[in-house]
Amino acid sequence: MQKIVLFILLSITSLGASAQNFQPEFIRKHIGFLASDDLEGRGTASLGEIKAANYIADFFKTTGLKPAGTNGSFFQPFEVTFAVDGTAHQLIGRNVVGFLDNGAAKTIVVGAHYDHLGKGYQGSSLSPDSKNKIHNGADDNASGTTGVLELAKYFIENDVKEKHNYLFIAFSGEELGLIGSKHFTEKPTIPLNTISCMINMDMIGRLDDNKGVIVSGWGTSKVWGKLIPGLARSQSMKYTVDSSGVGASDHTSFYLKNIPVVQFFTGGHGDYHKISDDAEKINVDGEARILNIIAGLLQKLDQEPTEPEFLTAGNAHAGVTTSNFKVTLGVMPDYSYTGKGVKIDGVSKARPAEKAGILVGDIITRLGGETIGTIYDYMEILGKHEKGQQVDAELLRGKETKTVKVTF
Ligand SMILES: [Zn+2]
């Protein structure tokens, strides 16, 4: 019962998150600087990396974050070894870490890597003849770094003392193998057991409304499936989910320490890891909408009665699907249920499921003539229906099988 009440309260408060809080011109300004030729592609341990790190640290400082690197600074240096033309170089890269201290017991990490491929000597460029050419990395990942900066500013300036602290981290060494985030989780500057969850942004600058945003780490806590769908709806944004906590970005380092993670990503494109990943191709309005979703997520996490529970989440390719929002049942699925069908954990008042008589604990096994294997099938089936359509839903209630008529 408690869960249902909570679900309804959250549905009401979701309105707040739809306000436009993030200004496209600030997004354009940060990305324009970070992805400028002057920063030479922000290769780890390069002069361009240092310039970017200083820009981020200056922004953290003027915004009002406390330094949370090492030795009272915003920087957390780490050793990195990489080969250039067959010769191993040992150099120093640096994470940039700022703390919004609300005096709370738990801290949410908001992170993105700011390093990129430099001038193509570190490998992994997909451009032909890439050596000595600047890889500006506007989408990868000046866009996510900008998300860290603007979210820090938003939470400093919002005049609300949240029930969590926030640790904003710009990681380096990501393109060389998540080195900065691995270093952070091995040598954390706040106790790891005070970290509630980690939100990562890697490539959030190329939103295509037909494809939407890809949300990874979905299976690492039930809380993502509970909170994100309504927020995405408030921004009229489609999304695709990937349950895994292990992926090609820094959230992986936190997941491997049993911390719930979620990552936002607008998808691959033809300029990925090429010298053509430039600032003018960024969809700044799309990024602003994604930041609204993330800010809303942080606010909703603050209203949760408990910290997100960590779940071990599947393998790297489990359960990828697309959903759109023409219709919904008005239920909260139980994301931890692993049997066949969709188990219902909450039913919203006056929505199609409640009107059809679907109850908490029911397991919907078929919808509109299609079998539901997993929650992802369910989301895909929903995507095929229109408002006003009536379909049969077959469900299990205890040992009993029932069929009800649902009108979307
Ligand atoms: Zn990246």
Side-chain angles (χ1 to χ4, degrees):
M1 194 57 205
Q2 232 176 355
K3 276 179 183 161
I4 304 168
V5 171
L6 179 71
F7 185 57
I8 293 162
L9 284 176
L10 287 172
S11 305
I12 294 162
T13 55
S14 74
L15 287 170
S18 63
Q20 297 304 314
N21 300 308
F22 296 93
Q23 314 269 327
E25 74 245 40
F26 293 131
I27 294 171
R28 194 174 285 118
K29 178 176 159 260
H30 294 311
I31 296 177
F33 176 78
L34 292 166
S36 64
D37 284 351
D38 190 39
L39 271 64
E40 299 188 315
R42 310 182 307 279
T44 298
S46 71
L47 184 59
E49 186 229 44
I50 293 171
K51 285 182 184 174
N54 286 337
Y55 179 85
I56 296 161
D58 284 349
F59 188 88
F60 281 175
K61 190 176 173 194
T62 49
T63 304
L65 295 185
K66 288 185 184 170
T70 51
N71 299 323
S73 82
F74 283 103
F75 304 111
Q76 183 189 34
F78 56 89
E79 272 187 16
V80 53
T81 307
F82 60 89
V84 177
D85 292 335
T87 309
H89 291 252
Q90 200 168 49
L91 294 162
I92 302 291
R94 70 226 76 226
N95 297 326
V96 190
V97 196
F99 192 48
L100 197 175
D101 187 355
N102 282 324
K106 292 282 182 174
T107 297
I108 297 176
V109 173
V110 179
H113 76 89
Y114 74 96
D115 65 300
H116 191 53
L117 307 178
K119 293 171 89 175
Y121 290 101
Q122 297 177 6
S124 79
S125 173
L126 296 174
S127 279
D129 303 321
S130 63
K131 296 254 165 82
N132 207 27
K133 288 187 184 146
I134 297 171
H135 292 62
N136 296 108
D139 185 30
D140 189 8
N141 187 27
S143 67
T145 308
T146 294
V148 170
L149 299 178
E150 287 298 303
L151 285 162
K153 188 172 77 179
Y154 175 79
F155 279 92
I156 285 265
E157 289 179 352
N158 70 353
D159 288 329
V160 177
K161 190 168 180 183
E162 290 85 6
K163 290 180 288 199
H164 289 91
N165 312 310
Y166 300 102
L167 194 68
F168 295 95
I169 315 181
F171 300 104
S172 189
E174 192 271 352
E175 302 283 10
L176 296 167
L178 317 184
I179 294 170
S181 58
K182 262 186 223 163
H183 180 82
F184 180 86
T185 54
E186 289 306 322
K187 297 222 158 44
T189 58
I190 63 167
L192 270 193
N193 63 10
T194 65
I195 297 177
S196 162
C197 59
M198 192 268 182
I199 296 176
N200 193 41
M201 292 164 278
D202 196 350
M203 299 172 68
I204 56 168
R206 293 286 192 106
L207 179 69
D208 171 345
D209 271 313
N210 294 315
K211 294 186 187 144
V213 66
I214 298 160
V215 186
S216 304
W218 195 264
T220 68
S221 181
K222 277 167 83 169
V223 78
W224 311 130
K226 180 178 172 188
L227 302 183
I228 293 171
L231 291 163
R233 207 154 40 235
S234 75
Q235 293 295 323
S236 307
M237 197 177 297
K238 287 184 187 177
Y239 62 93
T240 300
V241 304
D242 178 352
S243 66
S244 179
V246 174
S249 191
D250 297 303
H251 58 293
T252 306
S253 302
F254 290 80
Y255 173 72
L256 295 174
K257 296 289 182 189
N258 296 344
I259 294 168
V261 297
V262 68
Q263 161 168 266
F264 293 82
F265 168 45
T266 49
H269 49 74
D271 300 310
Y272 172 73
H273 278 203
K274 289 187 184 157
I275 58 175
S276 51
D277 178 5
D278 286 327
E280 65 270 17
K281 294 177 183 165
I282 297 294
N283 176 355
V284 288
D285 297 306
E287 174 158 346
R289 283 163 57 214
I290 292 170
L291 295 181
N292 271 309
I293 291 175
I294 298 173
L297 177 61
L298 287 163
Q299 285 158 345
K300 288 196 163 200
L301 283 167
D302 215 53
Q303 297 158 6
E304 286 290 293
T306 57
E307 294 301 320
E309 190 191 348
F310 175 76
L311 298 173
T312 305
N315 57 56
H317 300 288
V320 179
T321 190
T322 302
S323 73
N324 63 31
F325 299 102
K326 280 187 278 185
V327 300
T328 59
L329 282 180
V331 296
M332 180 166 63
D334 178 351
Y335 285 92
S336 64
Y337 172 70
T338 52
K340 286 225 186 313
V342 169
K343 190 168 181 195
I344 305 305
D345 211 14
V347 181
S348 295
K349 282 242 176 298
R351 302 286 303 282
E354 200 215 31
K355 288 181 185 165
I358 293 172
L359 304 176
V360 170
D362 286 352
I363 297 166
I364 305 176
T365 53
R366 281 174 71 82
L367 188 64
E370 292 190 70
T371 301
I372 300 171
T374 66
I375 183 102
Y376 307 106
D377 299 331
Y378 161 73
M379 291 164 80
E380 218 160 271
I381 295 166
L382 280 182
K384 295 176 187 169
H385 290 92
E386 301 284 343
K387 264 209 157 55
Q389 233 179 320
Q390 193 180 63
V391 298
D392 283 342
E394 280 179 44
L395 48 91
L396 272 172
R397 182 172 296 162
K399 289 202 169 112
E400 196 189 345
T401 312
K402 285 179 81 82
T403 303
V404 297
K405 291 227 180 290
V406 174
T407 307
F408 289 118

